Amino acid sequence: MNVLKRSLLGSAAALAAAGSAHAADLPVKKAAPIAYVRVCSAFGAGFFYIPGTDTCLRISGRARFEGAYQTSSSRQPGAAGDTSGYRGLARFNLDARTQTAYGTLRAFARLDAASRTGVIHSGTMLRIGQAYGATGVDEAGRVQQYVNVDKAFIQFAGLTAGRASSFYDFYAHDFEFYGATSGSDNASTNLLAYTGTFGNGLSATVSIEDPVFTRSPVFAPFTNAAAVTPVFVGYTNGVPSRYGNVDTIQRSRLPDFVGVLRVDQDWGSAQLSAATHEINVGNLSTATAAGTGGVLTGIPHTNAVQGWAVQGGVKFNLPSIAPGDTLYLQGAYANGAQSYAGYCMIAGCYRQSNTGFDTQKFEQYFADASINPFTGQLQTSTSFSAVASYLHYWSPEWRSALFGSYGEQDFSAGARLAQGALYSLVSPSSTAVFGSNAVGVPGTRFYQLSQALRDTYQFVLGGSLIWSPVTDLDIGVEAFYTQIGVRNGRVIDADKSPTAYANVAGINAGTFVPRTATQDSMTHVRFRVQRDF
């Protein structure tokens, strides 16, 4: 028995030793620590720590549907004639923040992507350069897709650098769907700015901003692809007889300089903004001057000029009427920098002439300046705008906005007369060169009726009703009426007399009498469903 016990114990020990040796040969896996996502409460709701870092991130976005109707009664050949349109939009936001010894380090990025058709786009959307035709969807190219880097900026210790809203802006259509009122709204520009705070809600900002996004063209009278303006280079007996062409395409030389004083307190906010904006053009062409005879004269280089603008605004919080009620009042004036007055907002500031709505009877001119053909120097335009907007909460779920604006843009009488003298030499009897940009010979009937460089006004009046049955869901409708008109005289109605600009001689001789107008108007209604998250 003892022998058997010793034998069994020896066998067990041997097996245990063998098992221990085999187990030691196998790799031992330790469980990796689980990196749980932790809530970051330092910067408000929705932030969480990026695992393994001390940076807090908030991911948010938006989905939107819009449908719109606006009046249109086109008789023009080739005009779109659309009365409706639709849009679907997606937005993605990334907001990353880190607490440092110098304060919060923030990086913010926003990407918009959308598909739009018909009348759904406003002038603001037309300035998005990434929009492209949806080839294969619509043969007329009236379906557009776009992707837009709306925001991409860094903020640190008072510094803001990247793509952001202009610091010049104040109201910026906060309570509107379409953005129809006049007023600066440069939501996406490239800038480098510093903001200093002084206590009691007072702050000041100095910003260097990309001039391209506030640029309106220098008037070029020709309708061909060449953006040139003729200037006189030869005279016969004191009368212009030869001309050369100045390249009117502006170069990016100086940035826009923006300065802002702002106060934010319990009663609301107030802001005073100022901006400078350089207007520049190229040189006189070295090509042979057009025209005949005369003594050639030297034309000085067209000097760059500094346009400028000022804006003042105030925002009143009115909780005594209802929680959330807010009133904005804002006014702006610009010389050679009309996009800062926002007169072109409904139509788009990137063209020298535009229509704020399909089949408009005549074009509005948004040029920052024109070139005097006698001196070769720039003559700036002036513009101003005034806007009021009021948001009222009927209940926590129901709110309304009422808004309106008035604006004007003026070109000096000398500028239009000078272009008329140019027209007399270049194209005295037809508009083959000028097209709808023709000013006409001063003193003629056509000169009195042509649309080019006419002083105009514009006003907008509208409102909205929005229902928010649950948090971050808006279902609403907006309607507005806009009217544009010439400040004096009458203008050719290009809708009812579409061939008028090809029959200058007949107009001047009285054998062709075009239909004329002093104003035109449009009503726009838009429905929106929007979910933010």
Side-chain angles (χ1 to χ4, degrees):
M1 178 64 70
N2 289 336
V3 173
L4 180 59
K5 183 186 288 187
R6 283 196 299 270
S7 177
L8 290 173
L9 290 174
S11 299
L15 288 171
S20 298
H22 183 66
D25 293 336
L26 293 175
V28 177
K29 257 188 178 177
K30 293 184 178 179
I34 299 175
Y36 292 98
V37 174
R38 295 183 295 124
V39 172
C40 174
S41 58
F43 305 107
F47 284 89
F48 62 89
Y49 285 98
I50 299 175
T53 74
D54 58 356
T55 296
C56 298
L57 178 67
R58 185 176 189 269
I59 301 173
S60 61
R62 169 179 294 171
R64 175 190 292 172
F65 164 80
E66 289 181 308
Y69 168 83
Q70 73 180 32
T71 54
S72 176
S73 56
S74 173
R75 300 182 187 181
Q76 301 178 40
D82 293 329
T83 58
S84 64
Y86 308 90
R87 181 167 75 133
L89 176 140
R91 169 174 289 181
F92 303 96
N93 303 314
L94 295 174
D95 191 350
R97 307 189 193 189
T98 306
Q99 200 67 264
T100 74
Y102 300 93
T104 301
L105 170 62
R106 183 190 187 199
F108 183 85
R110 172 180 292 166
L111 183 70
D112 285 343
S115 177
R116 64 189 183 213
T117 66
V119 300
I120 201 66
H121 54 269
S122 67
T124 305
M125 298 176 198
L126 286 173
R127 292 199 303 275
I128 298 172
Q130 293 87 343
Y132 54 91
T135 305
V137 178
D138 179 76
E139 63 181 356
R142 294 201 294 271
V143 176
Q144 292 183 325
Q145 312 286 99
Y146 70 83
V147 176
N148 179 42
V149 182
D150 184 66
K151 301 287 186 295
F153 61 82
I154 299 162
Q155 289 181 314
F156 177 66
L159 182 74
T160 302
R163 188 159 175 79
S165 299
S166 171
F167 279 90
Y168 180 91
D169 292 347
F170 184 62
Y171 167 58
H173 303 106
D174 282 0
F175 302 151
E176 301 174 44
F177 290 3
Y178 188 100
T181 56
S182 297
S184 180
D185 187 0
N186 193 6
S188 300
T189 189
N190 306 312
L191 56 81
L192 176 65
Y194 179 79
T195 300
T197 56
F198 307 104
N200 294 322
L202 183 65
S203 64
T205 300
V206 177
S207 181
I208 299 172
E209 301 188 1
D210 195 328
V212 174
F213 296 99
T214 51
R215 179 179 294 162
S216 292
V218 172
F219 176 72
F222 294 160
T223 57
N224 56 23
V228 296
T229 293
V231 295
F232 299 132
V233 296
Y235 292 81
T236 300
N237 298 323
V239 178
S241 57
R242 307 187 76 175
Y243 67 90
N245 293 316
V246 171
D247 175 8
T248 57
I249 297 177
Q250 297 187 63
R251 278 67 171 174
S252 292
R253 294 170 179 161
L254 286 179
D256 286 4
F257 296 97
V258 173
V260 175
L261 287 175
R262 183 181 176 103
V263 61
D264 294 281
Q265 294 185 347
D266 291 340
W267 58 265
S269 306
Q271 180 171 305
L272 179 64
S273 307
T276 65
H277 176 75
E278 185 192 49
I279 310 170
N280 62 71
V281 295
N283 291 323
L284 185 71
S285 172
T286 57
T288 303
T292 58
V295 177
L296 294 179
T297 59
I299 296 295
H301 171 72
T302 303
N303 297 320
V305 300
Q306 282 292 329
W308 56 272
V310 292
Q311 177 176 272
V314 61
K315 172 188 175 184
F316 295 104
N317 298 326
L318 302 173
S320 59
I321 299 176
D325 275 30
T326 306
L327 172 66
Y328 273 102
L329 299 173
Q330 177 179 281
Y333 179 86
N335 185 314
Q338 70 85 31
S339 69
Y340 280 110
Y343 183 68
C344 60
M345 187 54 57
I346 194 172
C349 306
Y350 58 98
R351 294 179 59 184
Q352 70 175 16
S353 61
N354 214 329
T355 54
F357 42 92
D358 187 29
T359 72
Q360 189 170 295
K361 294 178 179 179
F362 55 90
E363 295 181 352
Q364 294 169 274
Y365 280 73
F366 301 132
D368 280 338
S370 61
I371 298 177
N372 187 304
F374 292 97
T375 65
Q377 299 306 310
L378 291 163
Q379 294 177 281
T380 58
S381 65
T382 60
S383 54
F384 77 87
S385 65
V387 61
S389 186
Y390 175 58
L391 179 68
H392 173 63
Y393 278 82
W394 302 97
S395 70
E397 294 81 22
W398 291 91
R399 67 187 187 272
S400 292
L402 291 175
F403 50 85
S405 70
Y406 180 83
E408 294 180 2
Q409 179 159 27
D410 295 337
F411 301 93
S412 68
R416 196 163 191 272
L417 283 170
Q419 293 297 322
L422 172 67
Y423 178 83
S424 302
L425 175 63
V426 178
S427 183
S429 60
S430 72
T431 55
V433 175
F434 292 95
S436 60
N437 292 331
V439 174
V441 178
T444 65
R445 180 62 173 163
F446 180 78
Y447 179 83
Q448 295 171 352
L449 298 178
S450 64
Q451 64 185 4
L453 295 182
R454 294 291 290 271
D455 299 343
T456 57
Y457 71 86
Q458 174 179 283
F459 74 79
V460 175
L461 183 63
S464 63
L465 178 63
I466 301 171
W467 179 43
S468 299
V470 296
T471 302
D472 296 327
L473 174 65
D474 289 343
I475 302 172
V477 61
E478 176 184 270
F480 66 87
Y481 171 86
T482 182
Q483 181 184 108
I484 62 102
V486 288
R487 299 272 313 284
N488 53 71
R490 301 186 69 84
V491 67
I492 292 170
D493 184 340
D495 183 32
K496 295 183 173 60
S497 296
T499 62
Y501 284 93
N503 199 355
V504 177
I507 294 174
N508 289 334
T511 58
F512 176 70
V513 181
R515 297 285 294 274
T516 61
T518 59
Q519 56 87 20
D520 199 3
S521 60
M522 177 268 286
T523 300
H524 184 102
V525 180
R526 180 170 297 207
F527 175 75
R528 172 182 288 180
V529 180
Q530 178 175 294
R531 166 74 160 101
D532 291 295
F533 59 88

